[in-house]
Amino acid sequence: MSRRGAARAITPVLVAALLMTACGTPRSGALGPAPTGAPTSAAPSSAAPSERPDPTRTPPSDPPRSPTKTAPTPAGTSTADTVTIELWFVRAGQLVPTRRTRPATVATSRLALTELATGPTPAEAATGLTTLLPVGVEVTRITDGVATLRVASADDPVDRRLREAQVVWTLTQFPSVRQVRFGDGPPVDRADYTGLLPPIVVTGPIPGDRVSTPLTVTGSADVFEATVSVRVLDAAGREVATGFGTASCGSGCRGAYRVVVGWRTAREQKGTVEVYEVSARDGSRINTMAVPVTLAPGG
């Protein structure tokens, strides 16, 4: 047989072999397992959330407040009929925040200063809150983010500094105010008065709130290893809930925290929310901030 004839005889055999390889024999190389559904995200931990609010302001992600809800309304927010503002009062020489919900107004800075001068509610006063701002103080102008006002000088330099701190921390909650100028002095902001904050600040709940379970406790803290602890006491002083969380910064810097706690009670009653630091020395509760509240039934 000639070479050309042999080639013609072999060609059909090669084609048949190639077809069998393509159809019946696996290709070389592993494709790996078949893909599965997208992994389910783990439920977020209430003690250490992945997103944290600005420690110097009320957390913006908190839902709106109502008398029976647990989460606070962000300061400086408003609805069609009301506006919620943050007020900074004084207790034992330190700044402590609270809130008011009032009829809506475009003059929010005037409203805030009026409320600040009016002073704490009876429930707040019972916890030691007071105000050093006299009645009649108003902002004369706001230019380039600087609010200018005149405040009568206090005889005691400590009282004067606390009074100024009340004004600065209250007015700078509004987007239009970044700094405050007192008379002809230089502009100042919150950073100039951070030394007047207690180790633990509680922005929610506030004294007198009616709270339901689960309760979200928020604020800022500068504590050992950034660990903030919370416990809830019933009317008899019994511990009905505990929890802890980690601030976004700690041990020398201030960070925001958010802790969620729940309880079981059969009836509505007075109670207390305590936010504290556990002493690294002996495990005792230190730097405790106690907030009197009304506990709604839960469980």
Side-chain angles (χ1 to χ4, degrees):
M1 181 183 296
S2 65
R3 290 183 178 179
R4 179 175 298 178
R8 288 177 179 175
I10 294 172
T11 298
V13 176
L14 291 176
V15 171
L18 290 173
L19 290 174
M20 290 178 63
T21 301
C23 298
T25 306
R27 296 176 185 270
S28 62
L31 297 178
T36 60
T40 303
S41 299
S45 169
S46 61
S50 59
E51 297 184 2
R52 299 185 180 278
D54 181 351
T56 64
R57 297 181 184 272
T58 302
S61 60
D62 291 346
R65 163 188 296 276
S66 69
T68 58
K69 297 296 182 180
T70 62
T73 301
T77 60
S78 64
T79 65
D81 301 317
T82 63
V83 59
T84 298
I85 56 176
E86 188 175 79
L87 305 175
W88 288 81
F89 289 123
V90 174
R91 178 170 62 200
Q94 297 176 318
L95 295 176
V96 178
T98 187
R99 289 184 304 279
R100 297 281 187 277
T101 298
R102 294 291 184 260
T105 176
V106 294
T108 51
S109 61
R110 177 181 299 177
L111 172 64
L113 292 177
T114 299
E115 292 291 332
L116 201 60
T118 299
T121 65
E124 293 164 348
T127 67
L129 295 188
T130 186
T131 185
L132 299 176
L133 188 69
V135 175
V137 176
E138 292 186 0
V139 173
T140 58
R141 68 178 182 276
I142 299 177
T143 306
D144 296 330
V146 179
T148 301
L149 65 161
R150 294 188 179 277
V151 179
S153 179
D155 295 333
D156 186 342
V158 174
D159 287 349
R160 181 176 67 250
R161 181 168 171 76
L162 282 168
R163 178 184 294 177
E164 292 176 354
Q166 283 188 261
V167 173
V168 170
W169 277 75
T170 297
L171 289 185
T172 53
Q173 71 187 284
F174 304 118
S176 60
V177 180
R178 298 189 306 274
Q179 294 178 305
V180 177
R181 186 194 304 274
F182 296 97
D184 299 325
V188 291
D189 58 24
R190 290 188 172 194
D192 293 292
Y193 302 94
T194 53
L196 295 176
L197 295 176
I200 296 175
V201 171
V202 181
T203 57
I206 63 172
D209 270 357
R210 181 183 185 273
V211 298
S212 56
T213 182
L215 170 64
T216 301
V217 182
T218 59
S220 68
D222 179 359
V223 293
F224 179 68
E225 293 186 342
T227 302
V228 179
S229 298
V230 175
R231 68 174 188 158
V232 179
L233 308 178
D234 65 11
R238 294 185 295 257
E239 188 177 276
V240 296
T242 61
F244 69 92
T246 304
S248 57
C249 192
S251 296
C253 59
R254 181 168 295 273
Y257 68 83
R258 181 187 300 267
V259 181
V260 178
V261 291
W263 59 84
R264 294 185 177 183
T265 58
R267 61 182 178 85
E268 184 168 305
Q269 59 189 291
K270 297 295 183 182
T272 305
V273 176
E274 289 187 351
V275 187
Y276 59 94
E277 174 186 2
V278 176
S279 171
R281 176 177 299 179
D282 57 15
S284 61
R285 289 186 294 273
I286 60 175
N287 297 319
T288 301
M289 299 296 286
V291 183
V293 296
T294 297
L295 302 177

